[in-house]
Amino acid sequence: MIHDKTAMGRKSFDGETPLVGSGKHNRCVVLPANVPILADFFERRNQNWIARTNSASDLIIQVGDSCFHLHKIPVVSKSEYLNRLVFQRIRNSRENDGESLIIQIVDLPGGTKTFELVVKFCYGWKIDITATNVAPLYCAAHFLEMSEDLEQGNLISKTEAFLSFLMISSWKDSFRIFKSCESISTWAKELQIVKRCAEAVAWKASTNPKAFSFDCEYAAHWNFEASKRGKSELEGTGTGTANTWWFEDVSFLRIDHFIEVIQSIKTRGVKSALVGSCIANWTTKWFSQVRLGLDKVTPKHMTHQLHRVTTECLIRMLPTEEKSVSCNFLLYLLKAGVMLKINSELLNVLERRIASVLEQCHVSDLLVKNVGDNDPVYDVGVIIRLLQSYFSCMLSNPAAKSHAVGRLVDGLLAQVARDEKLTVKSFKSLVDALPQNARYCDDNLYRAIDMYLKAHPSLIEEERTTVCRVLEYHRLSQEARQHVMKNDRLPLKLTAQFVLQEQVNMTRSMISNGSNYRRTNAQTIIRISKHLEKGQVNAQEIKMIRKDVEMIKSQLKELHNCKVKLQKQLKIFG
């Protein structure tokens, strides 16, 4: 017969007096009173535990793969749960007298190792309770209903007292308790162990480390380690390493325990910038250990699911206050969210949040690194998605400063253009993501394009034409136009267009200034124009047109000087 514990009772022990331990704050020795049968010793044979006394055992309890050969009286005198099961079995048993009752316990918190301590407690043996076993033992005591109703000083009250003592007194042991709760998650949450531990950590994190005596040296150590790293992770938020000494330990918590700590931290009124930086620190710690979808330790689908749920949890618990989280970290979460296909509504909320602060961002804020060895250094896809969201929001926000975003994107283009792994398609998509009216002129765009061509010398003519197609003569300054006409990295077709346009402008300028200049190379220009329409042009023809343009410039300069001299003479004789 299998007996499974399905209901958990709750009882508050907030009023209990902390148990005095053995002299060390992280260890307690428990010796129960009123033991009806004392065991001389416990013998272990493979998976069998045998309690040796003057009388033969009459009860077998199976926990996992182990069997415990025990006696009814010491067990049922301390456990209401086992008392009830033994009574039911005796009443319904058809077995012959003298045979041991067999009871199987399923899903006991802590398993065999914890039940071994319970058995020793029942038989009057002293047991060592530490930060690593107190939570499982406390949950097992609740499972087995070892309350004061049966006996004064029963296991629930003793473990409760020591558990509370550790949470209040020891920073290190609070995290050991967190770790021990991972294997008994359901019970630990139901009995409020995780919540209470989180509240204790939050209280200490929001208080001067010297306010609790046991771990001052430990806290000072982490403060020193943080200061050795140089820049504070909260640069620009007005807080420093003195307030972040607790980040490192909290970053080792599992996501559900970390959420509990953050919620408790928030309720204590800790600054939102500090909370945001703590979340960013935890994320960097965990996500750097397991690349998205590339972990070799666990199955890929499990890793994907874990990261998806974790990312959604992180986004939900972000502080909402302005400047509480950096734009770069929000972009990192957006990148992870897109890759992991998180909840679309949550993803949209994150996009809108980043878009709302985009105008105040710097180029460094937009640099989100890729993780693949064959990928470009920075992810431009997430920026393209962000820009689409931003300019979509602009329709309802006419006050948006699109030109500030234009300068920002051009700066980003110049930064990523140097990356040899950045494809033409990705670079062109980022260029096109910014509407033309978001730029006052295209000089910065031209510089970024020129840097891309310089970093990718193996591009064919068609690819260079694709990259440069966005450039327009009238949107460049005179200085940029001059550079275009002398730039051998640009496609010949674009250079020819700029040279011809420059010649036309020069000719108009000279005619408007009264010159009798006539183009002597009209046939050549007509021929080149036809070649341009067909996509055919050669370097020799471009060179000839450039020479003609230089000659026109020289004549225009002379004409201008003559005009100035005539105006001066007219003033003298006037």
Side-chain angles (χ1 to χ4, degrees), residues 488-526:
D488 294 331
R489 288 185 288 271
L490 299 176
L492 288 175
K493 183 176 179 180
L494 179 72
T495 306
Q497 288 176 341
F498 272 60
V499 169
L500 288 175
Q501 187 65 48
E502 186 73 7
Q503 189 179 46
V504 169
N505 286 350
M506 291 293 178
T507 302
R508 289 174 177 170
S509 179
M510 293 187 71
I511 293 174
S512 65
N513 283 279
S515 172
N516 61 355
Y517 169 79
R518 295 293 182 269
R519 284 176 290 181
T520 58
N521 297 311
Q523 294 299 325
T524 302
I525 295 172
I526 293 172

Side-chain angles (χ1 to χ4, degrees), residues 107-345:
D107 295 333
L108 176 75
T112 302
K113 190 174 182 179
T114 299
F115 190 68
E116 178 188 344
L117 294 175
V118 172
V119 170
K120 289 181 178 180
F121 176 82
C122 292
Y123 277 92
W125 282 49
K126 67 179 181 180
I127 59 174
D128 287 344
I129 305 179
T130 65
T132 57
N133 66 21
V134 64
L137 197 56
Y138 177 69
C139 292
H142 273 276
F143 183 100
L144 297 170
E145 301 173 24
M146 303 176 71
S147 67
E148 300 290 292
D149 295 337
L150 289 180
E151 182 179 281
Q152 189 72 23
N154 210 345
L155 193 55
I156 288 179
S157 62
K158 289 186 180 295
T159 51
E160 159 65 27
F162 189 55
L163 186 65
S164 299
F165 176 72
L166 288 179
M167 288 179 181
I168 295 172
S169 64
S170 176
W171 173 263
K172 290 183 289 186
D173 285 338
S174 295
F175 288 91
R176 292 190 180 106
I177 294 171
F178 266 130
K179 186 66 178 177
S180 69
C181 288
E182 291 182 1
S183 60
I184 53 170
S185 182
T186 302
W187 278 88
K189 290 180 180 178
E190 184 69 21
L191 295 175
Q192 303 288 305
I193 299 177
V194 172
K195 183 177 181 180
R196 289 166 57 193
C197 210
E199 289 173 348
V201 169
W203 170 70
K204 294 169 187 174
S206 60
T207 309
N208 189 319
K210 295 181 180 180
F212 45 100
S213 58
F214 289 111
D215 294 297
C216 290
E217 182 179 351
Y218 183 69
H221 165 72
W222 281 119
N223 192 14
F224 172 70
E225 288 298 316
S227 65
K228 286 200 304 183
R229 288 195 289 267
K231 284 189 176 182
S232 168
E233 294 169 351
L234 298 176
E235 185 177 4
T237 63
T239 54
T241 55
N243 296 321
T244 62
W245 59 268
W246 50 279
F247 277 21
E248 187 68 14
D249 287 321
V250 171
S251 69
F252 285 98
L253 293 177
R254 201 173 67 176
I255 180 63
D256 52 339
H257 297 167
F258 179 67
I259 291 173
E260 288 282 356
V261 170
I262 291 298
Q263 289 175 342
S264 297
I265 287 282
K266 287 180 177 179
T267 58
R268 297 195 67 84
V270 174
K271 290 181 179 179
S272 60
L274 197 64
V275 175
S277 293
C278 180
I279 294 173
N281 184 73
W282 185 96
T283 306
T284 301
K285 188 86 171 182
W286 277 77
F287 278 47
S288 63
Q289 294 175 358
V290 184
R291 290 183 175 182
L292 298 179
L294 300 176
D295 183 39
K296 297 180 180 179
V297 179
T298 56
K300 183 175 180 179
H301 70 279
M302 290 296 292
T303 302
H304 180 90
Q305 182 179 7
L306 172 64
H307 275 78
R308 180 172 56 79
V309 173
T310 300
T311 302
E312 290 179 346
C313 290
L314 290 170
I315 294 173
R316 288 191 177 97
M317 68 173 161
L318 288 174
T320 57
E321 291 80 1
E322 187 177 354
K323 297 182 179 181
S324 59
V325 187
S326 71
C327 179
N328 186 259
F329 176 59
L330 293 175
L331 277 172
Y332 182 87
L333 287 179
L334 179 61
K335 171 185 171 64
V338 172
M339 292 179 63
L340 297 166
K341 298 180 180 179
I342 66 171
N343 179 276
S344 58
E345 184 177 347

